[in-house]
Amino acid sequence: MSLSNKLRRIFHIAFIDLKLMVTDKMFLFWTLIFPLIIIMTFGHIYKNDTQDMTAALMVLNQDEGQWGDYFIQKLQSPGITITAIDKVPEDYIRYLHIPNNFSADIAGKKSQEILLKINENSNIEASTQVEIKIIQGLVKLITEIILHPDTESFFAQKTEFRNILSIKSRFPENTILKVPAGFDHVIPGTLIMFIMMMVLVYGGVFVMLDRQRGIIKRIMFSSVTIPQLWTGKFLGRLSIGIIQSLILVIVGKLFFNLNLGNTALSILIILAFCVAISAL
């Protein structure tokens, strides 16, 4: 048998499964209407109202010496807004905790431990800017201590410190710089759920109908081989998953400004997931 005839049989089996799904009365409801209801409902529930357009940093300085204040001076930058606080905040975007033994440990040449906490909903770009500035500040501080090892007379004798270190950073193109919230959070989750539902449920129903109607037996009595039958059924279910994906991605892009980051890589991941579920 020629390759073209084999492929024709495989695609015919896949087309029949796809046709059964598209002509089903509930097809539009399950592929578009019901997912849209879920997206609209949960998209507003999980909407992120946190405004984090600037690199805001709360600083709790409990240091009993001068080094804590001196370190905070190193963090001063036009792109960072620093707010001094006097207790651990319950609600924060980012906050830095300088312990009370900060100066004492520097004088004793001991290791230091400062705490930086970042809210999971914060802007990634702004948070990275703060982290880099803190690292720069620590490196400058360590460098000054190396240049002026006598910490007791440091503030009286130190000379002007000139920046000898520069740290530059950038994100790869199309990087998502904020933890997905709202529709960007809900649509991918809904996409995964309905790919599984449509492929597994419709796929299972078609297997049941094929058995009840004797279609599988008739196919096996024909010249179609088992690999051809499996491949045709697999492609039929893969088509279901791809159609469901396209519907939700297009709707998300057109009506909800869905941000997938790198679109090509996102599509590749969705396709791999559809292949896995179709095989299952």
Side-chain angles (χ1 to χ4, degrees), residues 45-77:
I45 291 176
Y46 291 106
K47 187 176 181 181
N48 181 18
D49 295 325
T50 302
Q51 297 297 321
D52 185 23
M53 303 306 294
T54 60
L57 176 65
M58 295 179 177
V59 178
L60 175 59
N61 181 18
Q62 295 182 322
D63 183 33
E64 298 175 352
Q66 293 179 275
W67 288 97
D69 290 329
Y70 188 62
F71 175 59
I72 294 174
Q73 293 177 22
K74 300 294 181 187
L75 305 181
Q76 300 291 340
S77 172

Side-chain angles (χ1 to χ4, degrees), residues 26-230:
M26 296 297 291
F27 168 74
L28 185 62
F29 176 80
W30 287 114
T31 56
L32 178 60
I33 298 175
F34 190 48
L36 198 57
I37 292 172
I38 291 179
I39 290 170
M40 291 293 292
T41 302
F42 291 97
H44 290 288
I45 291 176
Y46 291 106
K47 187 176 181 181
N48 181 18
D49 295 325
T50 302
Q51 297 297 321
D52 185 23
M53 303 306 294
T54 60
L57 176 65
M58 295 179 177
V59 178
L60 175 59
N61 181 18
Q62 295 182 322
D63 183 33
E64 298 175 352
Q66 293 179 275
W67 288 97
D69 290 329
Y70 188 62
F71 175 59
I72 294 174
Q73 293 177 22
K74 300 294 181 187
L75 305 181
Q76 300 291 340
S77 172
I80 298 177
T81 303
I82 297 177
T83 304
I85 55 177
D86 55 7
K87 63 178 181 179
V88 177
E90 295 181 1
D91 186 24
Y92 62 88
I93 298 176
R94 301 168 207 88
Y95 97 86
L96 178 70
H97 182 197
I98 302 175
N100 57 1
N101 58 343
F102 188 71
S103 292
D105 285 346
I106 288 179
K109 302 296 191 296
K110 296 180 181 179
S111 61
Q112 289 289 350
E113 197 170 287
I114 60 176
L115 175 67
L116 173 65
K117 283 196 172 183
I118 300 176
N119 189 294
E120 62 179 8
N121 292 321
S122 66
N123 184 285
I124 297 176
E125 187 173 22
S127 296
T128 303
Q129 184 180 353
V130 169
E131 289 184 50
I132 290 173
K133 196 62 185 178
I134 291 173
I135 293 171
Q136 285 179 327
L138 290 172
V139 171
K140 290 176 182 179
L141 203 65
I142 293 170
T143 306
E144 290 195 64
I145 293 172
I146 292 172
L147 294 175
H148 303 277
D150 186 3
T151 56
E152 293 184 2
S153 61
F154 175 85
F155 293 100
Q157 299 180 1
K158 79 178 187 69
T159 58
E160 181 184 357
F161 177 75
R162 300 186 182 278
N163 292 335
I164 61 174
L165 177 69
S166 176
I167 300 177
K168 295 182 179 180
S169 65
R170 65 179 179 85
F171 288 95
E173 188 178 355
N174 296 324
T175 300
I176 296 178
L177 299 178
K178 193 170 184 179
V179 176
F183 296 113
D184 287 343
H185 170 75
V186 171
I187 293 176
T190 305
L191 174 70
I192 295 300
M193 180 175 69
F194 275 89
I195 288 175
M196 294 184 68
M197 283 180 56
M198 297 301 294
V199 174
L200 295 179
V201 173
Y202 267 97
V205 168
F206 295 161
V207 170
M208 179 188 68
L209 292 177
D210 286 349
R211 286 177 174 175
Q212 288 179 347
R213 297 169 182 173
I215 296 176
I216 296 292
K217 290 182 179 180
R218 292 199 296 273
I219 291 176
M220 295 311 300
F221 275 111
S222 71
S223 56
V224 175
T225 63
I226 291 178
Q228 290 172 2
L229 173 62
W230 187 93

